[in-house]
């Protein structure tokens, strides 16, 4: 096996062959790098150092508008010498991903962009997982105490600017979930947030389309079409109801506006914000109506059962009262007691109702000799 002669050098011992000047004026620093490392890591540098460009001929690349400290950190991501030296190769985390996404995008470093996209998407997933209201419907009054929505909006804007598809998808999903619970989250969506969303999905266009119904009828409606990004957020806003009595949505109000108005970046976000507040009020009203309807339905069923007990089986009703009295610590008993107290079903009032019913029955049946039932020689009530 031959050994390298005096004139032969190992590849690893070759000196750097390109100078990267970063910064301007007194803050400018020169970094001695390897063009092969830059070319393998970045399509941008591969094209620059392979073509007949001045950087390739002079062996010097200049970035006067970049920070030298940031370049040092950037080069540590791709420098293989860090793997064998005392220093360790830099690792991507949440903070560095946000900071260097613009660099990786500018230098066409697809592999690093995908890593950043994965890290930022996982961050949004983490935020969503920590919000128990998404799963359990808790009250949302404390949702933004740590400014998580601001963080998600910033990540959304970053993902739209630098084509981070996974992060954009997760951020949109999170924001749409909040919009679906607008009766509890309206305080989060101020004018600034609406302006941010509008800047992403604008411009907005209106289009006529035909809607066909099952009964054979058809209707021509105006459809709102966002031409930018974040279309899901636009559609989530447009489908918000703004009437508790009729099927009227924000899209119906927007359809009545002129194209100049809905594409005015100063006016339209203000109008859209007012529509969102209106939708929040309507959602609150509808929520209360549903709760009252459910409550009335449950109470109606309970009253029906108790009335049947009063009229048809007074013995079983008396047994029920004794059972409730003897099981004060049971959850079911407490619910029945609450029902009795709230809805005029206390024993005293029940006795009065029953006596009144019996009087009517006695009066109607006086010719038959029917009388109020007794227990141990005393009237049942």
């Amino acid at each position: 096996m031959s050994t390298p002669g005096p004139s032969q050098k190992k590849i690893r011992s070759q000196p750097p062959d390109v100078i990267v000047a970063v910064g301007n004026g007194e803050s400018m620093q020169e970094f001695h790098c390897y063009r092969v490392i830059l070319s393998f890591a970045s399509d941008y540098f591969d094209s620059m150092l392979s073509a007949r460009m001045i950087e390739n001929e002079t062996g010097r690349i200049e970035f006067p508008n970049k920070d030298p400290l940031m370049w040092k950190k950037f080069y540590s991501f791709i420098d293989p010498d860090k793997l064998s030296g005392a220093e360790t190769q830099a690792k991507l985390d949440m903070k560095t991903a946000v900071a260097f996404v613009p660099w990786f995008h500018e230098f066409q470093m697809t592999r690093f962009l995908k890593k950043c996209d994965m890290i930022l998407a996982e961050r949004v997933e983490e935020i969503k997982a920590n919000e128990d209201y998404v799963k359990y419907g808790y009250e949302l009054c404390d949702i933004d105490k740590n400014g998580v929505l601001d963080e998600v909006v910033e990540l959304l804007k970053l993902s739209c600017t630098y084509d981070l598809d996974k992060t954009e998808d997760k951020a949109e999903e999170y924001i749409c979930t909040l919009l679906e619970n607008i009766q509890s989250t309206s305080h989060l969506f101020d004018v600034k947030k609406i302006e941010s969303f509008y800047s992403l999905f604008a411009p907005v266009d209106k289009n006529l389309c035909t809607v066909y119904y099952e009964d054979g009828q058809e209707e021509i409606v105006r459809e709102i079409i966002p031409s930018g990004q974040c279309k899901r957020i636009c559609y989530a806003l447009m489908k918000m109801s703004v009437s508790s009595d009729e099927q009227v949505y924000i899209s119906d109000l927007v359809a009545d506006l002129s194209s100049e108005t809905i594409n005015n970046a100063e006016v339209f976000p203000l109008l859209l914000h007012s529509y969102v507040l209106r939708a929040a009020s309507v959602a609150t009203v509808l929520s209360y109506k549903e709760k009252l309807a459910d409550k009335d339905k449950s109470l109606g069923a309970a009253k029906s059962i108790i009335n049947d007990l009063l009229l048809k089986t007074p013995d079983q009703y008396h047994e029920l009262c004794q059972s409730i009295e003897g099981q004060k610590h049971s959850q079911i008993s407490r619910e029945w007691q609450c029902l009795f107290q709230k809805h005029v079903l206390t024993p005293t009032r029940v006795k009065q109702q029953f006596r009144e019913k019996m009087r009517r029955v006695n009066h109607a049946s006086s010719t038959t000799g029917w009388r109020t039932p007794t227990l141990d020689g005393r009237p049942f009530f």
Side-chain angles (χ1 to χ4, degrees):
M1 182 176 180
S2 61
T3 57
S7 62
Q8 294 177 313
K9 290 185 178 180
K10 294 181 179 180
I11 296 176
R12 191 179 291 179
S13 64
Q14 295 291 331
D17 54 1
V18 64
I19 295 175
V20 180
V22 185
N24 197 7
E26 295 181 358
S27 64
M28 189 270 290
Q29 293 184 30
E30 292 184 348
F31 297 89
H32 296 268
C33 305
Y34 294 89
R35 64 177 65 209
V36 65
I37 293 176
L38 293 173
S39 297
F40 271 103
S42 161
D43 290 343
Y44 174 90
F45 288 115
D46 188 32
S47 299
M48 175 185 288
L49 298 173
S50 301
R52 292 183 177 179
M53 299 183 68
I54 188 171
E55 290 85 358
N56 185 34
E57 295 176 358
T58 62
R60 182 181 179 86
I61 304 172
E62 295 183 354
F63 295 113
N65 297 322
K66 292 192 179 299
D67 184 352
L69 293 179
M70 291 287 285
W71 173 266
K72 185 177 181 180
K73 182 75 172 179
F74 166 78
Y75 194 69
S76 69
F77 288 118
I78 61 176
D79 187 1
D81 190 47
K82 295 289 190 292
L83 296 176
S84 58
E87 299 179 76
T88 57
Q89 195 171 29
K91 302 295 183 181
L92 279 170
D93 55 22
M94 172 65 189
K95 185 177 179 179
T96 54
V98 171
F100 284 99
V101 158
W103 289 62
F104 297 146
H105 185 271
E106 178 183 353
F107 296 142
Q108 303 170 26
M109 301 170 68
T110 306
R111 182 168 62 91
F112 284 89
L113 275 177
K114 288 182 178 180
K115 284 185 178 180
C116 291
D117 191 12
M118 187 177 299
I119 291 171
L120 300 182
E122 288 175 353
R123 171 55 183 161
V124 179
E125 275 291 305
E126 179 186 351
I127 291 174
K128 184 178 178 181
N130 289 336
E131 301 295 348
D132 290 337
Y133 72 89
V134 174
K135 296 181 181 178
Y136 304 110
Y138 292 162
E139 292 297 328
L140 309 184
C141 56
D142 295 330
I143 179 179
D144 206 36
K145 59 185 178 182
N146 295 321
V148 292
L149 181 56
D150 290 331
E151 181 181 352
V152 172
V153 171
E154 290 304 314
L155 291 178
L156 176 64
K157 292 192 286 189
L158 187 73
S159 64
C160 290
T161 303
Y162 298 109
D163 302 323
L164 307 178
D165 295 336
K166 291 183 179 179
T167 305
E168 180 181 351
D169 181 67
K170 295 297 183 182
E172 275 197 89
E173 180 182 356
Y174 176 82
I175 292 169
C176 288
T177 301
L178 296 182
L179 291 173
E180 290 171 1
N181 294 275
I182 193 61
Q183 70 271 19
S184 301
T185 61
S186 59
H187 63 288
L188 303 179
F189 296 99
D190 53 19
V191 175
K192 185 177 179 180
K193 296 255 185 1
I194 299 298
E195 287 177 344
S196 297
F197 300 150
Y198 175 77
S199 67
L200 294 174
F201 64 69
V204 180
D205 195 11
K206 295 188 294 184
N207 186 33
L208 294 178
C209 64
T210 304
V211 177
Y212 298 93
Y213 299 99
E214 294 181 356
D215 58 1
Q217 299 293 323
E218 60 182 61
E219 180 183 7
I220 298 178
V221 298
R222 285 170 290 184
E223 184 182 22
I224 306 302
I225 303 175
S227 301
Q229 298 169 295
C230 300
K231 292 179 172 59
R232 287 166 60 189
I233 294 179
C234 179
Y235 292 136
L237 290 166
M238 293 300 116
K239 72 178 183 180
M240 285 184 175
S241 176
V242 289
S243 174
S244 59
D245 301 319
E246 303 177 90
Q247 289 187 344
V248 181
Y249 304 96
I250 288 182
S251 58
D252 297 315
L253 302 180
V254 174
D256 292 332
L257 301 175
S258 66
S259 297
E260 291 76 12
T261 300
I262 63 177
N263 286 294
N264 188 315
E266 295 182 358
V267 175
F268 186 64
L270 294 175
L271 288 173
L272 193 54
H273 179 252
S274 68
Y275 297 157
V276 169
L277 294 181
R278 181 173 171 182
S281 299
V282 169
T284 302
V285 171
L286 293 176
S287 176
Y288 278 120
K289 281 186 176 181
E290 290 178 1
K291 290 180 180 179
L292 289 174
D294 292 341
K295 184 177 180 181
D296 290 343
K297 185 177 180 180
S298 300
L299 292 177
K303 289 179 180 179
S304 176
I305 293 172
I306 294 173
N307 283 332
D308 285 344
L309 287 172
L310 280 170
L311 291 176
K312 300 176 182 178
T313 54
D315 290 339
Q316 282 80 357
Y317 177 78
H318 183 64
E319 182 181 341
L320 174 64
C321 291
Q322 291 179 332
S323 175
I324 292 173
E325 186 65 24
Q327 301 178 26
K328 290 183 178 179
H329 300 292
S330 119
Q331 178 63 30
I332 296 177
S333 297
R334 286 198 298 272
E335 292 176 358
W336 275 95
Q337 289 176 21
C338 181
L339 182 64
F340 272 52
Q341 293 171 358
K342 288 186 177 180
H343 302 285
V344 202
L345 293 172
T346 59
T348 301
R349 295 303 301 271
V350 168
K351 288 178 182 179
Q352 293 175 355
Q353 292 179 12
F354 188 78
R355 286 171 181 166
E356 180 63 27
K357 292 179 185 292
M358 291 302 102
R359 274 195 218 99
R360 294 174 184 172
V361 172
N362 288 340
H363 179 75
S365 307
S366 58
T367 57
T368 65
W370 192 92
R371 291 292 181 268
T372 303
T374 60
L375 182 65
D376 295 333
R378 294 176 298 168
F380 182 77
F381 284 109

